[in-house]
Amino acid sequence: RGDGRRSDAPTGCAGDEGDADPALRAALESGDAEGVLTRLRQGARLLVPIVAVLDEVAAGGGDKSSHMASVSLVQADGRRGLLAFTSVDTLAAWDARARPVPATAPDVAAAALEEGADGVLVDIAGPIRFALDGDALRRVAEARITDA
């Protein structure tokens, strides 16, 4: 799936083929926002896109330097959302060059808050878009399981 890309994941995602979580997909497809939030709080796996960002190109187009970065979008009103995807297919529909990094939804929500984002935008290229923000974003982040 996803042009031959694999989701090499932390132990919680071992064996992940990159398909969407079935319960999360069903809730999204039925328009069940509460079901989506429940599955996200339960730790559904999302894929955070990582892309190469060019830092500099040497004179004459020689050596260049770049770094890898997660992606967020900024709306006209200044609100920023971290991108996440339910599957490698929905990620590839947005940008086939992006690389998937698997993480649980609570970890993604917590990372968004730690980075000062206002939300998480799920499957921005469709087929079904979902925005996680406000109190719902905080509730999902609070469900984060930590190894203490």
mmCIF file of all heavy atoms in Angstrom, residues 63-84:
data_model
loop_
_atom_site.group_PDB
_atom_site.id
_atom_site.type_symbol
_atom_site.label_atom_id
_atom_site.label_comp_id
_atom_site.label_asym_id
_atom_site.label_seq_id
_atom_site.Cartn_x
_atom_site.Cartn_y
_atom_site.Cartn_z
ATOM 1 N N ASP A 63 26.044 20.832 -3.727
ATOM 2 C CA ASP A 63 25.558 20.239 -2.483
ATOM 3 C C ASP A 63 24.464 21.089 -1.870
ATOM 4 O O ASP A 63 24.481 22.316 -1.945
ATOM 5 C CB ASP A 63 26.700 20.098 -1.474
ATOM 6 C CG ASP A 63 27.728 19.068 -1.905
ATOM 7 O OD1 ASP A 63 27.391 18.245 -2.780
ATOM 8 O OD2 ASP A 63 28.846 19.101 -1.378
ATOM 9 N N LYS A 64 23.542 20.401 -1.243
ATOM 10 C CA LYS A 64 22.460 21.103 -0.571
ATOM 11 C C LYS A 64 22.258 20.483 0.801
ATOM 12 O O LYS A 64 22.676 19.364 1.052
ATOM 13 C CB LYS A 64 21.175 21.041 -1.384
ATOM 14 C CG LYS A 64 20.699 19.629 -1.668
ATOM 15 C CD LYS A 64 19.498 19.643 -2.567
ATOM 16 C CE LYS A 64 19.107 18.211 -2.929
ATOM 17 N NZ LYS A 64 18.024 18.174 -3.879
ATOM 18 N N SER A 65 21.628 21.232 1.659
ATOM 19 C CA SER A 65 21.306 20.673 2.969
ATOM 20 C C SER A 65 19.804 20.784 3.178
ATOM 21 O O SER A 65 19.149 21.689 2.670
ATOM 22 C CB SER A 65 22.069 21.400 4.080
ATOM 23 O OG SER A 65 21.626 22.728 4.192
ATOM 24 N N SER A 66 19.294 19.817 3.902
ATOM 25 C CA SER A 66 17.866 19.802 4.182
ATOM 26 C C SER A 66 17.640 19.147 5.531
ATOM 27 O O SER A 66 18.553 18.578 6.117
ATOM 28 C CB SER A 66 17.112 19.045 3.083
ATOM 29 O OG SER A 66 17.511 17.694 3.073
ATOM 30 N N HIS A 67 16.416 19.245 6.001
ATOM 31 C CA HIS A 67 16.033 18.563 7.224
ATOM 32 C C HIS A 67 14.625 18.012 7.045
ATOM 33 O O HIS A 67 13.909 18.400 6.123
ATOM 34 C CB HIS A 67 16.125 19.501 8.439
ATOM 35 C CG HIS A 67 15.107 20.600 8.425
ATOM 36 N ND1 HIS A 67 15.296 21.784 7.736
ATOM 37 C CD2 HIS A 67 13.887 20.688 9.010
ATOM 38 C CE1 HIS A 67 14.234 22.558 7.894
ATOM 39 N NE2 HIS A 67 13.361 21.915 8.664
ATOM 40 N N MET A 68 14.245 17.094 7.899
ATOM 41 C CA MET A 68 12.910 16.511 7.854
ATOM 42 C C MET A 68 12.038 17.232 8.877
ATOM 43 O O MET A 68 12.511 17.592 9.950
ATOM 44 C CB MET A 68 12.965 15.019 8.177
ATOM 45 C CG MET A 68 13.856 14.214 7.222
ATOM 46 S SD MET A 68 13.370 14.338 5.505
ATOM 47 C CE MET A 68 11.942 13.273 5.488
ATOM 48 N N ALA A 69 10.769 17.455 8.512
ATOM 49 C CA ALA A 69 9.875 18.189 9.407
ATOM 50 C C ALA A 69 8.453 17.651 9.292
ATOM 51 O O ALA A 69 8.034 17.171 8.234
ATOM 52 C CB ALA A 69 9.890 19.677 9.055
ATOM 53 N N SER A 70 7.718 17.744 10.414
ATOM 54 C CA SER A 70 6.290 17.463 10.356
ATOM 55 C C SER A 70 5.617 18.650 9.675
ATOM 56 O O SER A 70 6.231 19.696 9.480
ATOM 57 C CB SER A 70 5.723 17.224 11.760
ATOM 58 O OG SER A 70 5.896 18.374 12.550
ATOM 59 N N VAL A 71 4.363 18.481 9.312
ATOM 60 C CA VAL A 71 3.681 19.494 8.510
ATOM 61 C C VAL A 71 2.475 20.035 9.257
ATOM 62 O O VAL A 71 1.712 19.287 9.865
ATOM 63 C CB VAL A 71 3.204 18.896 7.167
ATOM 64 C CG1 VAL A 71 2.519 19.944 6.317
ATOM 65 C CG2 VAL A 71 4.372 18.273 6.423
ATOM 66 N N SER A 72 2.320 21.349 9.193
ATOM 67 C CA SER A 72 1.115 21.977 9.720
ATOM 68 C C SER A 72 0.624 23.002 8.706
ATOM 69 O O SER A 72 1.380 23.461 7.853
ATOM 70 C CB SER A 72 1.374 22.628 11.084
ATOM 71 O OG SER A 72 2.356 23.622 10.987
ATOM 72 N N LEU A 73 -0.640 23.320 8.785
ATOM 73 C CA LEU A 73 -1.243 24.329 7.929
ATOM 74 C C LEU A 73 -1.684 25.502 8.791
ATOM 75 O O LEU A 73 -2.183 25.303 9.904
ATOM 76 C CB LEU A 73 -2.462 23.771 7.197
ATOM 77 C CG LEU A 73 -2.205 22.700 6.146
ATOM 78 C CD1 LEU A 73 -3.524 22.239 5.529
ATOM 79 C CD2 LEU A 73 -1.276 23.209 5.066
ATOM 80 N N VAL A 74 -1.524 26.704 8.268
ATOM 81 C CA VAL A 74 -1.965 27.902 8.975
ATOM 82 C C VAL A 74 -3.117 28.512 8.188
ATOM 83 O O VAL A 74 -2.990 28.778 6.990
ATOM 84 C CB VAL A 74 -0.812 28.929 9.128
ATOM 85 C CG1 VAL A 74 -1.301 30.167 9.845
ATOM 86 C CG2 VAL A 74 0.358 28.300 9.869
ATOM 87 N N GLN A 75 -4.250 28.703 8.865
ATOM 88 C CA GLN A 75 -5.419 29.304 8.220
ATOM 89 C C GLN A 75 -5.267 30.813 8.161
ATOM 90 O O GLN A 75 -4.404 31.394 8.828
ATOM 91 C CB GLN A 75 -6.680 28.920 8.991
ATOM 92 C CG GLN A 75 -6.941 27.432 8.962
ATOM 93 C CD GLN A 75 -8.223 27.071 9.686
ATOM 94 O OE1 GLN A 75 -8.939 27.909 10.201
ATOM 95 N NE2 GLN A 75 -8.520 25.786 9.728
ATOM 96 N N ALA A 76 -6.111 31.456 7.385
ATOM 97 C CA ALA A 76 -6.057 32.912 7.217
ATOM 98 C C ALA A 76 -6.192 33.644 8.550
ATOM 99 O O ALA A 76 -5.609 34.709 8.737
ATOM 100 C CB ALA A 76 -7.143 33.368 6.252
ATOM 101 N N ASP A 77 -6.914 33.061 9.495
ATOM 102 C CA ASP A 77 -7.102 33.717 10.802
ATOM 103 C C ASP A 77 -5.958 33.426 11.776
ATOM 104 O O ASP A 77 -6.000 33.833 12.931
ATOM 105 C CB ASP A 77 -8.445 33.335 11.421
ATOM 106 C CG ASP A 77 -8.562 31.854 11.755
ATOM 107 O OD1 ASP A 77 -7.570 31.098 11.594
ATOM 108 O OD2 ASP A 77 -9.652 31.441 12.193
ATOM 109 N N GLY A 78 -4.927 32.709 11.300
ATOM 110 C CA GLY A 78 -3.752 32.449 12.127
ATOM 111 C C GLY A 78 -3.772 31.144 12.880
ATOM 112 O O GLY A 78 -2.764 30.754 13.471
ATOM 113 N N ARG A 79 -4.900 30.431 12.890
ATOM 114 C CA ARG A 79 -4.940 29.138 13.580
ATOM 115 C C ARG A 79 -4.106 28.129 12.805
ATOM 116 O O ARG A 79 -4.107 28.103 11.589
ATOM 117 C CB ARG A 79 -6.376 28.628 13.723
ATOM 118 C CG ARG A 79 -7.171 29.453 14.707
ATOM 119 C CD ARG A 79 -8.563 28.922 14.882
ATOM 120 N NE ARG A 79 -9.250 28.968 13.588
ATOM 121 C CZ ARG A 79 -10.262 28.167 13.250
ATOM 122 N NH1 ARG A 79 -10.706 27.257 14.085
ATOM 123 N NH2 ARG A 79 -10.833 28.273 12.063
ATOM 124 N N ARG A 80 -3.394 27.284 13.561
ATOM 125 C CA ARG A 80 -2.493 26.302 12.952
ATOM 126 C C ARG A 80 -2.914 24.903 13.346
ATOM 127 O O ARG A 80 -3.226 24.622 14.494
ATOM 128 C CB ARG A 80 -1.058 26.550 13.422
ATOM 129 C CG ARG A 80 -0.031 25.685 12.733
ATOM 130 C CD ARG A 80 1.388 26.168 12.986
ATOM 131 N NE ARG A 80 1.762 26.092 14.375
ATOM 132 C CZ ARG A 80 2.351 25.023 14.933
ATOM 133 N NH1 ARG A 80 2.612 23.959 14.224
ATOM 134 N NH2 ARG A 80 2.686 25.048 16.203
ATOM 135 N N GLY A 81 -2.919 24.003 12.357
ATOM 136 C CA GLY A 81 -3.270 22.611 12.597
ATOM 137 C C GLY A 81 -2.182 21.675 12.127
ATOM 138 O O GLY A 81 -1.665 21.816 11.019
ATOM 139 N N LEU A 82 -1.812 20.739 12.987
ATOM 140 C CA LEU A 82 -0.861 19.686 12.644
ATOM 141 C C LEU A 82 -1.597 18.668 11.765
ATOM 142 O O LEU A 82 -2.744 18.326 12.055
ATOM 143 C CB LEU A 82 -0.354 19.016 13.923
ATOM 144 C CG LEU A 82 0.690 17.923 13.787
ATOM 145 C CD1 LEU A 82 2.012 18.516 13.319
ATOM 146 C CD2 LEU A 82 0.879 17.215 15.125
ATOM 147 N N LEU A 83 -0.967 18.196 10.708
ATOM 148 C CA LEU A 83 -1.600 17.218 9.830
ATOM 149 C C LEU A 83 -1.379 15.798 10.335
ATOM 150 O O LEU A 83 -0.316 15.478 10.859
ATOM 151 C CB LEU A 83 -1.052 17.322 8.410
ATOM 152 C CG LEU A 83 -1.245 18.630 7.669
ATOM 153 C CD1 LEU A 83 -0.827 18.478 6.211
ATOM 154 C CD2 LEU A 83 -2.662 19.126 7.752
ATOM 155 N N ALA A 84 -2.407 14.962 10.146
ATOM 156 C CA ALA A 84 -2.318 13.535 10.457
ATOM 157 C C ALA A 84 -3.254 12.804 9.502
ATOM 158 O O ALA A 84 -4.218 13.384 8.982
ATOM 159 C CB ALA A 84 -2.705 13.267 11.904
#
